Structures are given as C-alpha cells and as structure tokens.
Amino acid sequence: MEKTGNFQADIHDNGYEAKFLEKRLDHTSLLNLAGRMADGLESLDGQWNFAADWYDTCKRANWPADSAQVSGGAEESNRPLDYDWEAWERIPVPSTWNLARRELLYFEGSGVYTRTFRYTPRSADERLILRFEGAAYRTTVFLNGVCLGTHDGASTPFNVDITQTVARENRLVVAVDARRLPTRVPMENTDWYNYGGLYRNVLLLRVPATYIKDWFVRLERSSACSKIRADVWLDGAKASAKVKLSIPGLGVAEEIQSQDGVASFTIDAEPELWSPTRPRLYEVEISTDNDSVRDKIGFREIKTTAHDIYLNGEKIFLKGVSVHEDHILMGKTTNSATIRATIRDLKEMHGNYLRLAHYPHDARFARIADEEGILLWEEIPVYWAIAFDHPETYRDAENQLAELILRDRNRASVIVWSVGNENADTDARLTFMSELTKKVRSLDETRLVSAACLVNHEKLVIEDRLADFLDVFGVNEYYGWYDPDFSKLPQLLANSNPGKPVVVCEFGGGARIGQHGSTDDLFSLEFQENLYKKQVETLKRCPFIAGTSPWILYDFRCPRRLNRYQEGFNRKGLIDSDRSSKKPAYFVMRDFYRELTP
Ligand code: GCU
C-alpha cells in the first residue's frame, strides 16, 4: 500500500522497518578517517532539532519521505502533519539525550534528530561522505527524504557516500533507536547505563572521485622488527592508480602501482620501536595523484609464550585497571581532556595498561594512548547472555568487531582485541565467539586475541573451551566479594595450568566514599582496601598471571545497583564517580604496580 504519510494506512503496518534495513551501513563502507586533513572535513556538530519519538512514528509514517521540502514545518502544510522539524526543541550533538534533558534520563526509545546544511562542491567529481563516530544503537539516516540506510551498534563509526543525494540545500533526519533488545549486542541485560543518541561527532568529508579509503601500516609479523608491511585500499573508478608511501623518519619513499584498488608494500626498515617508556611515533604519508592522508604510527611487536606477554622482545606485566566510558556529567560522550585525565590517574598508580570495557571507546582514546605510551585492551559488547544462536546477532557482533579493528588497527597502543565478556561456556557460544576470533585474525594478524572468561567455579579451575582460540586467557574473579570464601583464589590458581598467559580482567568489590567500618563491613572503604590487599598478595605469586585490570577505575551509573550504598551506581571504583576522590584501594594498586619491574 502506497504510504500516505500520517494517515490510517501507516498505523496498521508493523513491518514498517523492513524497508529501512535493506541498506546496511556497516564495515564494508567504513573509511579510515584518522589521516584526513582538516580542510576536507566539516563538522555537523552543534544544536540539532530533536524529538523523543516514543512510538517510532518517524519511521512508521516515514516522515522524511513525506516532507522532502527542507523546512518541513507543520505551518506550511494543508495536512495535519505530526512532525515539525524547525519547531522542535534543540539538543547538542554530540551528547547523550539522557543527560542533555532531565526528562529524558530514562528514555530508551527512538530519538529523531534533524538539521539542515548547505553544500557547494569544490570540483565536478568531488564525492561527499557523511560520517558518524558513534550513535546508540540503531541509526537510520535520511537525506532530503531518501533513506540512506541503517547502522546497528552503539559504539563504532559508520559512514555513507551521499554524493548522489546531496543538494545545495539539505535536510538531514536521523532516527536513533536506543532500545535494549534480546537479539542486540549487548542484549537487554547489562551492568552499565544504556545511554542513547548521537553521542559522538558527526561530520562531512570531501574526497576525490577515487580516494584513499583505508590503510594498515605495521611491522611484518615474522620479520624480527626489520620489515614494515603497508596495505592501502583505494575506492573509486581509478582504483589502479600509483600509490606513494613515505615515512620521512625512516627515509622511506616508495611508489607502486595498485592492483584492483589495493597497493601492498613490504619495506626493509628498523624503526625505533614504540613502547610505554618510549612511545615513538612516525609521520606516515600515503598519496595518489589526487589524494593524500597523513597518520602518526608507532611500530612495535606483541607476542606471547606459555606464561608471559612480550613487547618488543621484553617480558611485560600489564599493570592496568578497567574503565567504562561513563561520565557523571557527559554519560558516554567524552573529550580529549577527560581521556588524558583517565590516563593521568592510571599513571599515578604506576599503571601502563587500560582495559576499555565493555565496548569500543571513543577513537581519540587509542590516538592519545599512542602519544602517552599506554597499552590498551579493546572489546566488543558480546556481554553475558547474547543470543548466540541467532544469525542476525552474529552479523551484528562481527560487524561491530570489524568496525573497531578497521578504526584502530594502526594504533600501536592497542595490543589486545577482546571478543566478549563473561559468557557461559555453551556450544552455541563457542561457535559464535570462535568465529569472531577468526574474524579478528583475518583483519589483523599482529595483535593478541582474548576474551574475559568466567572461571569454572564447580571444578575451581581456570578453563574454558574458548581458550583454544585465544592468545591471552582473560578471566574475571570476585573472590572476597561475590564469593566470600577468599581461600578459593589460591586454590583456583594452584589447580590451573592454562598453558597461555592469563590476565585477570576483573577483581574487586564496592565501597562508597565516606563509608567507614571494619574490614568485615561490606561497602566500607576498609573492606575494599583489605580485599585488594588480599587479592594482590595472592595474584602476584602466580607465575602465569601476566597482568591485572581490577574492576574498575571510576564508580559508574548502573540501573541494577539499588542498595543504600550504591544508589544507582556501581561503586567498585578505585575512584568515586567525581573522578577525583581516591579510595584507599587505589593506593593498594599503586603500591603493587610501583614494586613491579617497569
Ligand atoms: C562483571 C562484569 C562487569 C560488572 C562487574 C560487577 O564481571 O564483567 O560488567 O560491572 O562484574 O559485578 O560489578
């Protein structure tokens, strides 16, 4: 039935979303933004018109198709329209609507954003790309009444070529559905706050007809740090152009002919290796006759043996802590200053490593970690009871993983890709997550693959069938908190011989700032400090533990945590949600890490 817009016909079709899912915005079209110069980028951040669309009426009635004219105001129509683009309230992009408007704190439906923009091409064959750095969760993009496609996933970037749809004057409408659903990734039950909206940057990118879409520059895996491998992908009709790679700091300047849009270089070079103590980055320029990108890349090697992790041939201990992308004032939106403050808090505890839980954090994190010399574990939200037997769920998880890896695989700071967290060891889960580990290795042969696994509590041993597919065995244990019998931790370690390095991705317990009591009083600062002392004393004696990232650096919003000490927050932080009040347990970790060799 032809859509009449806003009338009876629209309210009886519950399959209304199918047409918007025909075109997926996913990793296959993702371009590497990291090296683009400012003159080709135009920010669309700022105040957008917004409405909380509780019943998803924008898509049910296909408002954007109904109102192709740019203004789209109810006052201009002789029909009783239910939308009114320019009359709606204005909301900042980027932001989480939950914290932008008090009345939207618990809103998890569809938010509709809209704005206009002008565009004048600089050349006849210029292409225009619309890019979103992150939107939670299902994002459907409309330009001038045309549906450009839909992206799933709350924490990874996506883009769409709008060259054929863009005009001089444009109406952009973006519907962002933040619902938690059983088949999504994560599913509807998590231990963090479900923020919604266009919470990361939105921008336009001008590129030539054939442009440099992606590149991956790294040490050749089997080269003993003496060869650099660089792959460059072009997009466009002239994808057989010559491609030049230059790394002035290494005296590299090579030019080769691309084949079917791909140019692969293997170059003898012995770069100064990137490390936390010496985070050396090299200027890398990639160019064709009509496009160029510049990136800053560190070269390093990460490997494992039966018990240990080696960075550039030297054994390291990952002196870390876990961290959520959750801020008391900004929610899941962040900025460079906040990222640098997080790294400062890590360095003050003599840490060298962060577990960015449980989803891809802002792209700036790995960029700044490259500069600051911090190692990172990055993860996709295959969290708890995912619908492991649902094909669409696998497609979604694999796409988020691919978007994360394509976004960050040129960042030296990233050493581990994690395919999930705390998933029961079932056959469906083993198939689902082992496939994800294969996807990682197909996109990046240089980094370690891991997951935060559960211990086998019945047998009191560190084992998980997924471990056969992992380089590092991540494990979460809460002895002394969820399991009060702390004596099980040394028994667990004595019973285990996982045959690969183990990183304890989580341990800890809650404590509220100002809450004092004995070491037996749950949620007291003394209880948490004593728990940390016992954990550290036990973990440091275990030869196959190659790192720790206790849970967690900062208290964070969490709708599941409703007792008098938590009040809607998970209070396992070493620092309060104010990101300044340190708890005594913070100093237990500081003393532990300070004693360890660098
Ligand atoms: C789990 C989970 C975390 C959660 C933590 C807790 O291990 O991985 O996301 O917040 O434990 O219970 O506080």
Side-chain angles (χ1 to χ4, degrees):
M1 176 184 291
E2 180 53 37
K3 278 294 169 198
T4 55
N6 271 335
F7 297 102
Q8 287 287 333
D10 303 322
I11 59 177
H12 299 300
D13 170 15
N14 222 35
Y16 65 91
E17 198 172 29
K19 59 181 170 297
F20 302 125
L21 302 180
E22 286 163 8
K23 181 164 185 327
R24 291 295 182 155
L25 307 181
D26 62 21
H27 72 279
T28 57
S29 57
L30 191 67
L31 65 85
N32 190 336
L33 198 61
R36 288 286 163 193
M37 294 301 108
D39 64 348
L41 297 171
E42 180 185 337
S43 172
L44 292 182
D45 291 350
Q47 295 292 326
W48 291 41
N49 290 96
F50 175 86
D53 181 11
W54 297 78
Y55 295 0
D56 217 13
T57 310
C58 176
K59 287 188 279 189
R60 288 179 186 277
N62 202 344
W63 285 343
D66 178 60
S67 151
Q69 70 267 27
V70 168
S71 60
E75 80 290 349
E76 290 177 357
S77 171
N78 60 358
R79 290 182 291 128
L81 302 179
D82 292 324
Y83 56 88
D84 208 342
W85 306 136
E86 295 299 324
W88 283 353
E89 66 170 311
R90 294 168 72 74
I91 196 169
V93 169
S95 74
T96 60
W97 62 55
N98 316 77
L99 299 183
R101 289 285 178 281
R102 179 81 195 139
E103 65 275 15
L104 298 177
L105 183 60
Y106 297 119
F107 177 58
E108 294 184 278
S110 252
V112 181
Y113 294 80
T114 184
R115 63 162 289 167
T116 58
F117 68 89
R118 286 199 175 89
Y119 168 64
T120 305
R122 293 176 187 159
S123 64
D125 67 350
E126 182 177 82
R127 292 169 71 177
L128 191 65
I129 311 281
L130 172 61
R131 168 77 166 224
F132 296 83
E133 284 301 299
Y137 177 96
R138 168 166 279 181
T139 307
T140 303
V141 184
F142 301 86
L143 181 65
N144 302 332
V146 174
C147 176
L148 300 175
T150 294
H151 177 266
D152 278 349
S155 304
T156 43
F158 56 98
N159 45 249
V160 56
D161 187 329
I162 60 174
T163 311
Q164 303 310 317
T165 317
V166 73
R168 285 285 191 280
E169 302 286 340
N170 297 281
R171 163 69 58 190
L172 183 57
V173 176
V174 185
V176 186
D177 161 10
R179 289 172 300 158
R180 290 168 293 113
L181 300 176
T183 54
R184 287 185 171 176
V185 181
M187 42 84 80
E188 76 270 35
N189 185 32
T190 70
D191 200 44
W192 69 84
Y193 198 90
N194 180 40
Y195 295 107
L198 293 177
Y199 71 92
R200 289 182 185 159
N201 303 115
V202 182
L203 44 98
L204 291 170
L205 174 65
R206 297 167 186 265
V207 292
T210 296
Y211 69 94
I212 300 166
K213 179 182 178 186
D214 192 15
W215 56 94
F216 184 19
V217 184
R218 71 283 194 194
L219 282 173
E220 178 89 3
R221 182 135 177 89
S222 57
S223 73
C225 305
S226 63
K227 283 186 187 302
I228 286 175
R229 171 74 189 260
D231 295 310
V232 179
W233 291 266
L234 306 181
D235 183 296
K238 293 189 219 154
S240 59
K242 282 188 186 303
V243 178
K244 187 183 290 183
L245 169 73
S246 63
I247 311 175
L250 292 173
V252 168
E254 305 259 332
E255 183 175 55
I256 62 172
Q257 183 74 34
S258 62
Q259 302 294 332
D260 300 329
V262 183
S264 292
F265 302 77
T266 300
I267 299 162
D268 291 331
E270 295 196 3
E272 181 185 348
L273 300 180
W274 182 95
S275 73
T277 49
R278 187 96 173 89
R280 178 75 161 84
L281 298 175
Y282 285 88
E283 290 283 344
V284 175
E285 180 169 346
I286 297 166
S287 57
T288 62
D289 58 7
N290 63 353
D291 194 15
S292 74
V293 291
R294 285 192 189 81
D295 203 349
K296 287 184 181 174
I297 293 178
F299 299 99
R300 54 105 190 92
E301 177 197 64
I302 191 80
K303 287 188 171 177
T304 59
T305 60
H307 284 181
D308 299 307
I309 297 172
Y310 284 77
L311 176 69
N312 302 330
E314 290 182 30
K315 189 166 85 168
I316 56 162
F317 189 89
L318 300 182
K319 304 186 288 184
V321 65
S322 297
V323 64
H324 257 305
E325 196 168 51
D326 180 279
H327 190 281
I328 191 74
L329 299 175
M330 299 185 289
K332 206 175 180 314
T333 298
T334 190
N335 54 41
S336 298
T338 302
I339 293 168
R340 291 191 189 278
T342 302
I343 290 173
R344 183 203 62 224
D345 287 335
L346 172 77
K347 287 188 172 180
E348 284 181 5
M349 63 194 275
H350 294 278
N352 62 8
Y353 158 71
L354 282 168
R355 178 190 178 205
L356 302 187
H358 284 296
Y359 37 72
H361 289 214
D362 189 284
R364 287 168 289 187
F365 212 116
R367 168 72 66 193
I368 293 170
D370 274 8
E371 297 165 14
E372 298 264 2
I374 294 298
L375 300 163
L376 296 178
W377 160 302
E378 294 199 313
E379 185 166 297
I380 56 168
V382 173
Y383 181 92
W384 287 358
I386 290 285
F388 289 115
D389 53 2
H390 189 75
E392 263 307 292
T393 303
Y394 181 79
R395 186 200 58 74
D396 187 351
E398 187 181 78
N399 180 61
Q400 292 187 44
L401 179 64
E403 288 171 341
L404 168 61
I405 293 173
L406 292 175
R407 187 193 74 179
D408 285 357
R409 64 182 175 180
N410 285 303
R411 306 279 71 82
S413 51
V414 180
I415 57 168
V416 176
W417 302 118
S418 167
V419 294
N421 179 79
E422 288 200 348
N423 318 98
D425 186 352
T426 65
D427 292 347
R429 171 266 192 168
L430 182 60
T431 303
F432 189 104
M433 293 180 77
S434 58
E435 281 306 304
L436 289 176
T437 66
K438 293 169 191 166
K439 184 66 178 179
V440 174
R441 299 189 197 281
S442 72
L443 291 170
D444 175 7
E445 79 286 353
T446 69
R447 288 180 175 83
L448 305 177
V449 182
S450 190
C453 302
L454 293 162
V455 301
N456 182 324
H457 290 289
E458 289 64 43
K459 293 167 62 179
L460 200 54
V461 67
I462 294 175
E463 73 176 15
D464 185 313
R465 288 182 292 166
L466 184 63
D468 292 342
F469 298 88
L470 306 180
D471 300 305
V472 170
F473 195 137
V475 70
N476 293 353
E477 52 89 1
Y478 279 92
Y479 294 106
W481 182 254
Y482 293 120
D483 186 330
D485 181 357
F486 191 84
S487 70
K488 289 180 180 174
L489 180 56
Q491 289 172 47
L492 171 82
L493 300 176
N495 293 347
S496 301
N497 180 17
K500 55 191 65 182
V502 170
V503 171
V504 181
C505 303
E506 295 185 29
F507 68 82
R512 182 170 63 172
I513 284 287
Q515 190 70 35
H516 290 285
S518 78
T519 55
D520 296 323
D521 293 329
L522 287 175
F523 292 102
S524 72
L525 295 168
E526 291 76 12
F527 183 100
Q528 186 190 48
E529 180 185 24
N530 185 50
L531 185 157
Y532 266 77
K533 284 178 179 172
K534 293 193 299 182
Q535 280 278 354
V536 161
E537 270 312 302
T538 305
L539 296 177
K540 72 183 185 183
R541 301 180 195 290
C542 182
F544 56 69
I545 288 181
T548 52
S549 54
W551 192 259
I552 187 168
L553 185 55
Y554 305 116
D555 291 353
F556 59 95
R557 271 193 185 81
C558 184
R560 294 174 66 244
R561 306 296 178 164
L562 303 174
N563 78 22
R564 71 189 70 181
Y565 307 107
Q566 297 173 110
E567 303 155 315
F569 283 78
N570 184 314
R571 296 235 185 265
K572 295 188 183 68
L574 295 174
I575 302 175
D576 185 70
S577 57
D578 65 7
R579 292 182 173 235
S580 64
S581 308
K582 294 184 173 74
K583 303 174 189 177
Y586 174 91
F587 300 99
V588 172
M589 291 311 296
R590 179 201 60 186
D591 296 346
F592 171 45
Y593 288 158
R594 184 169 48 193
E595 290 158 19
L596 287 175
T597 51

